[in-house]
């Protein structure tokens, strides 16, 4: 966002963030599909390739430059001062406070579903060999949700979006609690459209 602000393109944030989400999801989709096959070749091969991708990512990250917006700021010289001023802004703004609390609670709940997904799939008797396929589609569904976020934001009010997300997330969570068959996979995937 700060880079876009420096370029006077803040209005493109949601659109570009959505594209980034879809690109990341596509890579996640491919990785989840391929991981199972790599694991069959060698147990350590997926870990080696993950380590290589992490090293390459770190090299790219080290080339990033701090946006000019922050270079000119003299008031926040360290992370603690920055954190303190951020907390003050959250408490001063009713809207920002709402988004932070709403987002934290909602994403914690939805992240919980992700981390316990494998246990749920075992419960509904999904063969382990299909876990990678399900998680691949999870990444894709999340990417599609992220890529549509800008369109949704421009079509509906924030109040409508937040209300709908809360209601549908609760329905998904309760649905997964009571549905003990393969239909639960569709509900699991729906959760990640919301995450996106």
């Amino acid at each position: 966002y700060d880079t876009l602000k420096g370029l006077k393109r803040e209005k493109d944030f949601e659109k570009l963030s959505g594209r980034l989400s879809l690109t990341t999801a596509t890579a996640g989709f491919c990785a989840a599909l391929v991981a199972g096959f790599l694991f069959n070749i060698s147990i350590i091969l997926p870990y080696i390739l993950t380590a290589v991708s992490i090293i390459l990512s770190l090299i790219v990250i080290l080339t990033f430059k701090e946006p000019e917006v922050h270079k000119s700021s003299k008031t926040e010289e360290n992370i603690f001062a920055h954190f303190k001023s951020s907390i003050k802004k959250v408490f001063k703004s009713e809207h920002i406070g709402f988004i932070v609390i709403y987002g934290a609670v909602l994403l914690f709940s939805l992240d919980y579903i992700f981390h316990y997904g494998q246990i749920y799939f075992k419960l509904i008797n999904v063969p382990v060999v299909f876990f990678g396929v399900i998680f691949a589609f999870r990444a894709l569904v999340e990417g599609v949700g992220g890529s549509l976020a800008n369109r949704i934001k421009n079509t509906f009010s924030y109040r409508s979006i937040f209300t709908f997300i809360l209601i549908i997330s609760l329905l998904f969570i309760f649905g997964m609690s009571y549905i003990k068959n393969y239909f639960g996979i569709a509900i699991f995937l729906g959760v990640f459209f919301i995450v996106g």
Side-chain angles (χ1 to χ4, degrees):
Y1 182 84
D2 291 339
T3 299
L4 290 172
K5 188 172 183 177
L7 296 170
K8 301 197 182 331
R9 291 182 57 193
E10 301 100 313
K11 66 181 182 348
D12 293 335
F13 177 73
E14 285 89 359
K15 180 173 65 174
L16 295 175
S17 181
R19 284 185 194 163
L20 176 63
S21 179
L22 186 58
T23 303
T24 303
T26 304
F29 175 83
C30 295
L33 281 180
V34 172
F37 297 109
L38 293 174
F39 191 76
N40 284 334
I41 295 168
S42 168
I43 290 176
I44 61 168
L45 190 56
Y47 296 106
I48 292 169
L49 292 176
T50 299
V52 169
S53 70
I54 288 170
I55 291 166
L56 292 173
S57 297
L58 285 172
I59 292 168
V60 171
I61 289 169
L62 291 173
T63 66
F64 290 173
K65 292 184 168 67
E66 188 73 20
E68 292 296 323
V69 163
H70 291 294
K71 283 184 179 177
S72 62
S73 176
K74 303 283 187 216
T75 58
E76 296 177 14
E77 295 175 0
N78 65 50
I79 194 164
F80 298 108
H82 180 73
F83 181 74
K84 185 178 175 183
S85 87
S86 295
I87 293 295
K88 284 181 181 177
K89 284 182 184 176
V90 167
F91 282 109
K92 283 183 183 176
S93 170
E94 181 180 317
H95 300 295
I96 294 174
F98 169 77
I99 291 170
V100 168
I101 292 168
Y102 177 90
V105 170
L106 184 67
L107 286 177
F108 171 79
S109 303
L110 300 181
D111 193 50
Y112 182 81
I113 289 172
F114 172 75
H115 289 292
Y116 288 95
Q118 291 183 20
I119 294 169
Y120 179 73
F121 299 144
K122 282 183 183 178
L123 179 73
I124 63 172
N125 298 317
V126 174
V128 174
V129 75
F130 292 116
F131 285 17
V133 174
I134 294 169
F135 280 97
F137 278 99
R138 178 214 59 88
L140 200 58
V141 168
E142 186 175 339
V144 169
S147 68
L148 293 175
N150 187 48
R151 232 182 272 169
I152 292 168
K153 179 193 78 101
N154 291 332
T155 305
F156 301 100
S157 71
Y158 283 119
R159 182 180 299 258
S160 300
I161 293 168
F162 288 141
T163 303
F164 176 77
I165 286 175
L166 185 61
I167 291 168
I168 201 77
S169 295
L170 288 171
L171 289 174
F172 284 159
I173 290 167
F174 284 113
M176 285 183 70
S177 300
Y178 291 102
I179 294 174
K180 304 287 192 275
N181 57 42
Y182 284 1
F183 185 69
I185 296 169
I187 295 172
F188 174 83
L189 294 175
V191 165
F192 291 94
F193 181 83
I194 300 295
V195 171

